[in-house]
Amino acid sequence: MTAAAGKAPRDVNRGVAPVTYGQGERPPRGDYGRAGADYTCAQDHARYTEADHDTYRRLYARQLQQLPGLACDEFIAAVRQLGAPERIPRFDDISERLFRATGWQIACVPGLIPEESFFALLAARKFPVTDWIRKPEEFDYVVEPDVFHDLFGHVPLLFDPTFADYMQAYGAGGLKASRLDACELLARLYWYTVEFGLIATPKGLRAYGAGILSSTGELRYSITSAEPRRVAFDLQRLMRSRYRIDTYQATYFVIDSFKQLFDATAPDFTPVYESVRKTIAAAGEIEAGVVLPGERQFTP
Ligand SMILES: [Fe+2]
């Protein structure tokens, strides 16, 4: 685990990798002594207390009732695959179902892990899920992703074959980006799609990003509020865009389909990074909440 010094976790993001994976400024929460060289460990299910299970149950129930009309159909269809909502599930049980569906598995981790290890797991179709759960006093907000965010937010869409392929392509791209010094640009792609992505459907806008789907207030805000900007997904535009980690998002990127996402990620990004860097050098980055002239926007 590496730590990026001087980065306040609730401060405006200045282009460092998001805390959704990779680094945080504080020593990472979690017992890393249990982890192997690839940062994975066994889920110590017996260690959860009744209070832990109760926190999970209440978080799950609160999010579940918010999903209709706000979350995408693929997410709603798959969320029950997480198993009984009353207790923190055993990752192995979910992995069995997930492997049968899309060839993915859950890899238990003690908390945030370094980017390289994160990318390597995704490229091997393993999604790292933190095993600790937030304290009751953190019910509404937890700085680092916990088991509820990782499991409820991320795992259901891994049951969708196209999204599952996108995640693997992202991991493979990440391993390459590390060598090209392009992790910052790739982190923006993760942030604006996997964590905070919206999708346009015949029934209206819906959320598919885990940061939204596991959030108390942002799920409704992202779909119904007149405040944020919602712009059509464009890879190079997205990679020029800063984001904020201290508030709800000021900009969301809207995809038409998961296939669009996969197709955008499938080609080699090397020329994309070069082009984005040139544009940033000439025209600058784009602040969150800013819409460019002529840009198509989605309204609630
Ligand atoms: Fe996440």
Side-chain angles (χ1 to χ4, degrees):
M1 182 71 201
T2 53
K7 176 174 160 254
R10 299 200 70 183
D11 201 353
V12 177
N13 179 274
R14 291 297 177 198
V16 279
V19 292
T20 43
Y21 66 78
Q23 296 90 349
E25 71 148 8
R26 67 193 67 205
R29 189 157 152 182
D31 175 11
Y32 287 77
R34 296 184 294 135
D38 63 354
Y39 283 88
T40 66
C41 58
Q43 183 191 18
D44 187 0
H45 199 267
R47 198 194 48 185
Y48 297 127
T49 64
E50 284 308 311
D52 290 338
H53 289 300
D54 189 58
T55 299
Y56 180 86
R57 179 189 63 74
R58 290 187 296 126
L59 285 165
Y60 190 111
R62 184 173 66 177
Q63 287 313 105
L64 193 73
Q65 54 92 17
Q66 284 203 69
L67 298 180
L70 301 176
C72 66
D73 286 348
E74 292 86 347
F75 184 91
I76 293 175
V79 73
R80 297 288 182 188
Q81 300 278 6
L82 298 180
E86 291 85 18
R87 299 179 76 76
I88 300 169
R90 291 179 191 277
F91 297 169
D92 287 349
D93 293 344
I94 300 173
S95 281
E96 236 181 84
R97 294 191 283 275
L98 186 55
F99 191 79
R100 278 201 303 272
T102 58
W104 274 76
Q105 290 172 284
I106 290 173
C108 181
V109 291
L112 290 168
I113 63 174
E115 276 174 354
E116 285 276 344
S117 308
F118 179 79
F119 294 144
L121 286 170
L122 295 188
R125 292 178 95 85
K126 290 178 181 169
F127 192 83
V129 173
T130 300
D131 68 347
W132 56 262
I133 192 156
R134 67 195 73 181
K135 303 266 178 278
E137 60 270 25
E138 297 169 306
F139 192 75
D140 288 325
Y141 182 79
V142 61
V143 175
E144 288 179 37
D146 70 341
V147 62
F148 181 74
H149 167 83
D150 284 345
L151 209 55
F152 188 93
H154 287 283
V155 172
L157 276 187
L158 293 172
F159 281 86
D160 180 86
T162 311
F163 190 83
D165 286 348
Y166 169 65
M167 289 299 285
Q168 181 183 18
Y170 184 90
L175 290 171
K176 196 166 180 191
S178 310
R179 296 193 293 276
L180 297 171
D181 198 23
C183 284
E184 182 184 330
L185 300 181
L186 202 67
R188 290 175 175 173
L189 178 61
Y190 193 87
W191 185 270
Y192 278 123
T193 63
V194 179
E195 293 292 350
F196 292 98
L198 299 184
I199 184 167
T201 79
K203 294 186 274 187
L205 287 176
R206 296 289 185 272
Y208 71 89
I212 302 175
L213 290 161
S214 63
S215 160
T216 326
E218 190 155 1
L219 181 51
R220 186 160 299 282
Y221 170 89
S222 69
I223 301 296
T224 65
S225 170
E227 212 174 300
R229 307 276 70 85
R230 300 172 184 86
V231 298
F233 174 84
D234 175 281
L235 184 63
Q236 298 214 18
R237 196 285 194 202
L238 183 157
M239 284 188 176
R240 280 177 65 200
S241 305
R242 290 177 179 275
Y243 55 83
R244 298 180 62 109
I245 64 170
D246 60 335
T247 62
Y248 292 162
Q249 299 305 298
T251 297
Y252 297 96
F253 285 89
V254 182
I255 60 169
D256 294 325
S257 66
F258 293 136
K259 183 168 184 317
Q260 179 194 18
L261 211 46
F262 177 73
D263 289 347
T265 323
D268 179 10
F269 274 6
T270 310
V272 176
Y273 296 142
E274 279 168 21
S275 171
V276 171
R277 284 195 184 108
K278 270 187 200 152
T279 313
I280 290 175
E285 297 183 309
I286 302 167
E287 295 298 330
V290 170
V291 176
L292 302 178
E295 206 160 38
R296 181 163 70 107
Q297 288 192 65
F298 293 80
T299 47

